[in-house]
Amino acid sequence: MLENVRSFYRQISQVWKIAIAWGLGLLMVLGLGLPSQAHWADLAVADIQIENQNVNMNLTVPTGLFAQFDDDKNQQLSVEEVTKYQPELQKFLSEKIQLTAAKVKYDTLIVSSTTAKKLSSNLIATPENHSNLQLIYRWAQPINQLQMNYDLFVPGVNTARCLAQVFRDGRVDNIVFTPISKNAALIDAPILQQISSFVGLGIEHIFTGYDHILFLVSLLMLGGSLGYLIKVVTAFSISHSITLSLAVLNIVSVPSRWVEIIIALSIAYIAAENLWRKEPNLARWQLAFGFGLIHGLGFSSALQELELPRNNLVVSLISFSAGIEIGQISIVLLTYLCLSYLRRFPWDLTIRRLISVGIIVMSAIWFCERAFIG
C-alpha cells in the first residue's frame, strides 16, 4: 500500500514538472512574442534653433497625442486643423513643453504646421501616424540660461521619448527626453547631460530589443563556468562594438533589412544548437564573435537615423555603447543566476530545451516578417 502511494506521488510530481517546463516555454514565447523593432514606435523628434530672442522648434510627434484636434481621424494634423485649433494647441503645448530663459517664461508662442524632417521607417515604426509642427517662442530680452521641460509623452508608455538636436552659434547638442528625464539645459549644456542621455538610450535599446535579448539567453543556455561565459559574452561585446562604431561613422553600410533577417537566423541557429548539445564547446565564443558583428549593425540603427553631428558624435557613440553594455551585463547576470538555479533539478535539461524551442519559434516568426512581409 505504501509503495503504491509513493508511486502515485512520483507520477504526480513528474506531471507537475512537465507542466512547469511547458509553462515556462510557453511564457517565453508569449512574453517575448512582441515586435522586435518596437524601439521607436512612440518617438518624437525636435530640431531646436536658438537665436537672439527666439527659439524655433520643428517638432515631429505621434498624432495620437493630439487626437482631439484631428477632425478627419487620418492620423495627421493638416494645415487647416492646426489653424482651426491654434489657440487650443498653443495652450496644450505651453503646458507640455515649457521653456524658460533665466527662469523667465517666453512672451509669445506661435504654433503652425510645417514640413516634416524626413524620418526613416527604422526610426519611427509608423511615420504616417506622426504630425509635424513648428513652434516659435519669443522673449522681449536676449535669451540666456535656457531650460526646457518636455512632458509630451504617450501616457503610460515608459519607452516614449523625444530626441532633440539643439543648434546655437554653430554648436549642436543632442538631448534625449524621457518620462523620467524631462528637464535639460539647452544653452551651455554640461557634457554629463549628453552622456547620461545616451547611456540611458543604450540601456533602453538593449532592454526593448527582444531579439538581442533572446540571442544572449541562447548563448548562455548551455551553461558552463563563469569564466567561460565571460569569454563568450566578451567576444560578443567586442564584435558588436566594432561594427556599431563603423556603421555610425558611415565606414560600413549594410541594408537594414538584410541585417535584421540575419539577426533572426542567428538566434534560430544558436537556439537550435542548444537542442543537440548538452555541454558548451570552445567554438561558441567564435560564433558569438561572428554573429556579434551582425548584431552591432542592428544596434547602430538607433544612432544612424538621428543624423548626429560630427562635433559630438564620439561622446554620443561611447555613451550609447556603454548603455548597451550595462544592459547586457544585467541580462547576462540574471540569466546566469537562473540557469545556475535550474541545474539543481534533474529536469533542468527539459526546461532549457523547451525554452530553446520557444526561441526558435519566435526567431522563425521574425524571419518571416522581415524576409517576406517587412
Side-chain angles (χ1 to χ4, degrees), residues 148-369:
M148 179 170 168
N149 179 283
Y150 185 95
D151 193 23
L152 188 58
F153 301 108
V154 178
V157 180
N158 58 11
T159 57
R161 68 184 54 79
C162 174
L163 304 178
Q165 288 194 96
V166 184
F167 303 85
R168 179 176 182 263
D169 296 335
R171 171 176 171 172
V172 184
D173 290 312
N174 298 285
I175 303 169
V176 182
F177 293 97
T178 71
I180 60 173
S181 181
K182 302 177 182 179
N183 296 288
L186 302 189
I187 294 180
D188 299 326
I191 190 66
L192 186 60
Q193 176 175 282
Q194 182 177 341
I195 292 173
S196 61
S197 290
F198 280 85
V199 167
L201 188 63
I203 292 173
E204 191 163 325
H205 188 76
I206 187 71
F207 277 125
T208 57
Y210 307 110
D211 46 0
H212 301 300
I213 292 176
L214 290 189
F215 184 80
L216 284 171
V217 171
S218 297
L219 275 179
L220 304 178
M221 191 62 66
L222 292 181
S225 67
L226 183 59
Y228 171 79
L229 295 180
I230 290 174
K231 182 178 180 180
V232 171
V233 174
T234 300
F236 179 68
S237 298
I238 291 173
S239 63
H240 76 58
S241 296
I242 291 172
T243 46
L244 168 61
S245 302
L246 292 176
V248 171
L249 295 172
N250 291 320
I251 297 173
V252 172
S253 179
V254 180
S256 61
R257 182 177 183 183
W258 288 105
V259 170
E260 297 303 327
I261 288 172
I262 297 173
I263 286 175
L265 291 175
S266 72
I267 300 167
Y269 176 82
I270 295 295
E273 192 179 65
N274 292 337
L275 296 179
W276 70 73
R277 290 190 187 277
K278 293 184 178 181
E279 297 294 335
N281 66 338
L282 295 176
R284 179 146 286 204
W285 75 266
Q286 297 170 339
L287 282 172
F289 185 89
F291 286 137
L293 295 172
I294 301 299
H295 282 253
L297 296 173
F299 289 138
S300 70
S301 63
L303 293 184
Q304 281 181 303
E305 301 298 338
L306 298 184
E307 300 177 1
L308 298 176
R310 290 276 176 174
N311 63 337
N312 55 6
L313 178 58
V314 173
V315 174
S316 300
L317 176 58
I318 293 175
S319 303
F320 181 76
S321 298
I324 287 178
E325 296 310 318
I326 292 171
Q328 184 172 282
I329 289 170
S330 302
I331 294 168
V332 168
L333 287 177
L334 180 61
T335 303
Y336 175 75
L337 291 174
C338 290
L339 292 176
S340 297
Y341 178 77
L342 281 176
R343 285 190 175 275
R344 299 180 180 182
F345 304 98
W347 38 275
D348 75 302
L349 180 61
T350 302
I351 287 185
R352 286 189 282 118
R353 285 179 171 173
L354 285 171
I355 292 175
S356 294
V357 169
I359 293 174
I360 292 171
V361 171
M362 198 65 251
S363 57
I365 293 172
W366 286 332
F367 171 78
C368 292
E369 289 178 344

Side-chain angles (χ1 to χ4, degrees), residues 65-66 90-98 137 148-153 155 182:
L65 293 166
F66 304 101
Q90 289 175 351
K91 181 177 184 299
F92 178 75
L93 289 168
S94 66
E95 295 172 353
K96 295 297 183 179
I97 305 176
Q98 299 180 10
Y137 299 84
M148 179 170 168
N149 179 283
Y150 185 95
D151 193 23
L152 188 58
F153 301 108
K182 302 177 182 179

